[in-house]
Structure formats: C-alpha cells, structure tokens
Amino acid sequence: MAVRSDEGRIHHAIAQAASALAASPFSVALTGAGMSTESGLPDFRSPGGLWGEDDPVEVATLTAFRRTPEKFYDFYQRRLARLAAAAPNVGHQALAELEASGRLGAIITQNVDGLHQAAGSRQVIELHGNLREAACPQCQWTGSIRLITEALGAGTVPACPRCAARVKPNVVLFEELLPQAAYRQAEDACRRAAVLLVVGSSLQVTPAAWLPQVARQHGATVIIVNDEPTPFDHVAQFVLRGRAGAILPPLVAAVQKA
Ligand code: NAD
C-alpha cells in the first residue's frame, strides 16, 4: 500500500523510501519543472507558472515559431534571461550526490535548463532538448545558444550560419517529436530500474508521463516527490508530498546512512 505524506507520516515515508533506494541495485530519477522552481525558474502549470503568463499555443509550438516568431523569441528571451540568473538548488545537489555515491544510475529530465549538470550530475537524459544550443529546423545545424541571445540582443533575427533559415533553441516544441534515441534510453532505464524516483513533474505531458507505469510494470518501486497530487500517484508505492528542496536532502542523507 502507498505511504502518503499527507497522512502526516512524512518522516516515516522518507525513511521507507530511503530504504528502497539503499537496497536498489539500479535507481533512476525522472524530473520535471518542479525540480527547478526553487532555483527561481517558474514551472509551467502551477499558479504563477509560465502558462499563466503566456499561452503555450502562441509561444511554444512549431506553428508559433513559424507564424509569430516575434512572440516566440520574446518568450525565449525571457526564459534565457531567467536561466542566466539561476543556479542549482539543494534538490539538484542531493541528486548529484546520490549519483556520485553510486546510488543513482541516471536522471531522465524533461527540463531544458541544464541545472542537473550544473549541480554535477553526469548521467542525464534530456527528453525535451536543452537551452544550451541553437538548432536549425531546416538543415539540422546545431551550435551555441549564444547565436540566439546575441542576435536578439542586437535586435536581429537569429539565422542559421549554414542555410540562413531562422533558428530556434534546441528544445522540443509542441507539435515536434521527442528525440527518439533519448526516449528509448529513458524507457530502457525505466525497464531496468529497481527504483524510479519522480520529482517535480505534473505527469501531464506524454510520453514522459508514461515512464512511471513502464517502471512499475517492470517491477520497480516508484517514489513520487511533488507538492501536489499527480494523475499517476496510484502507480507509486511512496508519495512524498512537499517541496523537492525540503524532501530530497533528508531522503538522500537517509540513503547514505543506510
Ligand atoms: P509542470 O509545470 O507541468 O509540473 C510541475 C510540477 O511540479 C507541478 O505538479 C507542481 O505542483 C510541482 N512543483 C512545483 N514546484 C515544486 C517543488 N519545489 N517541489 C515539488 N514539486 C513542485 O512541469 P512538467 O511536468 O515538467 O511539464 C512537462 C514538460 O512539458 C516540461 O518539463 C516541458 O519540458 C514540457 N513542455 C515544454 C514546452 C515547450 O516550451 N516546448 C511547453 C510545455 C511543456
């Protein structure tokens, strides 16, 4: 039966989830935008999230990139400025520590902010691309995101140095497919995992939202850390309700002591 923190048993639930992680030969984390809110980066769907400020259809779709590039670039210019001021938080650091001690095999992330890597995590599977790079949808050129920040800063349109088409950040937009190799790697990791630790994802965007079920169907213990319910809480043996920055440090400390 699932142990839920909203039943007032948070310490007990953290201890039990830590035991599962300590006993696991191969554990994997799946993270979402809630991982980075404590770094000052708003998530998408919470109150105060990005979709409260902007309509995703107007700023985060391939159609928007093609038809209304000024709105699209304005959205990304604001995201990139926020990211430039952001640093990993204690939750990112706790996961990096777990990997460094050999108790976390990989992080699958829906985030494009690179904060796991900045915290020292090495095995990071990026499902939705990243904001380090610019990409040309026309000729598939990729290069540094500086091409975009510098062009926008100068008031010009970011153009591909190879084919002159408009370039976008190397993130997966709505209406685009996920990088297939990354998704296969993520699914494979979830099939092999004895524990899947899901942190800060509303689990509303597929196919990432299917991964907890994939892991569970292959025998994994699923732990969900989130500050609100998700549609897949029933799949988890442990639902730790609260902020990632409050739960991950004691969880990881308990794993290291076990
Ligand atoms: P989300 O905003 O849907 O969910 C974040 C979840 O984390 C929420 O349930 C929230 O309650 C929780 N949360 C927030 N702060 C928390 C904290 N400190 N501790 C614990 N929980 C916290 O984000 P998601 O699940 O990552 O969304 C899925 C993905 O969809 C995104 O990561 C994004 O990559 C992708 N997406 C991309 C675009 C785009 O721009 N191309 C557009 C929309 C969605």
Side-chain angles (χ1 to χ4, degrees):
M1 198 182 101
V3 177
R4 291 173 201 283
S5 60
D6 51 4
E7 291 164 13
R9 293 188 286 170
I10 186 77
H11 296 298
H12 181 59
I14 288 177
Q16 285 196 295
S19 301
L21 277 161
S24 160
F26 182 67
S27 300
V28 173
L30 168 65
T31 67
M35 188 78 226
S36 298
T37 53
E38 290 162 273
S39 292
L41 301 176
D43 65 8
F44 295 94
R45 294 170 186 79
S46 294
L50 293 176
W51 299 158
E53 292 174 11
D54 293 279
D55 178 350
V57 176
E58 290 186 356
V59 295
T61 60
L62 197 56
T63 306
F65 171 68
R66 288 184 179 141
R67 297 208 185 136
T68 51
E70 47 314 309
K71 276 191 184 170
F72 175 90
Y73 285 130
D74 174 63
F75 173 68
Y76 275 99
Q77 207 171 9
R78 283 183 278 129
R79 274 189 89 178
L80 286 164
R82 273 180 174 141
L83 181 54
N89 63 54
V90 292
H92 294 107
Q93 285 155 5
L95 292 187
E97 207 182 295
L98 203 59
E99 181 186 343
S101 66
R103 294 180 186 259
L104 186 65
I107 297 177
I108 302 162
T109 189
Q110 299 166 85
N111 299 342
V112 293
D113 54 35
L115 291 182
H116 285 302
Q117 294 92 326
S121 293
R122 298 167 72 89
Q123 299 299 321
V124 182
I125 303 169
E126 294 179 314
L127 286 183
H128 294 163
N130 68 76
L131 281 173
R132 291 181 298 279
E133 295 170 329
C136 176
Q138 200 71 38
C139 75
Q140 318 313 322
W141 170 90
T142 56
S144 167
I145 194 72
R146 279 203 308 275
L147 184 117
I148 294 181
T149 46
E150 286 171 7
L152 295 179
T156 59
V157 175
C160 175
R162 196 155 71 189
C163 76
R166 263 202 319 266
V167 298
K168 65 181 197 49
N170 197 8
V171 298
V172 179
L173 301 177
F174 287 120
E175 305 168 344
E176 285 188 308
L177 281 180
L178 258 55
Q180 293 303 292
Y183 189 70
R184 271 198 301 272
Q185 218 187 333
E187 231 183 13
D188 180 56
C190 288
R191 284 200 204 100
R192 289 170 48 216
V195 172
L196 177 68
L197 173 64
V198 184
V199 186
S201 177
S202 64
L203 296 176
Q204 287 185 28
V205 176
T206 58
W210 294 327
L211 291 172
Q213 267 174 322
V214 170
R216 184 69 198 262
Q217 280 160 5
H218 287 79
T221 296
V222 176
I223 304 167
I224 292 184
V225 177
N226 210 72
D227 66 2
E228 63 169 20
T230 80
F232 290 97
D233 284 359
H234 64 280
V235 168
Q237 284 90 338
F238 302 103
V239 178
L240 308 178
R241 184 87 63 237
R243 310 289 284 169
I247 290 179
L248 292 180
L251 177 67
V252 169
V255 178
Q256 309 292 32
K257 271 193 227 134

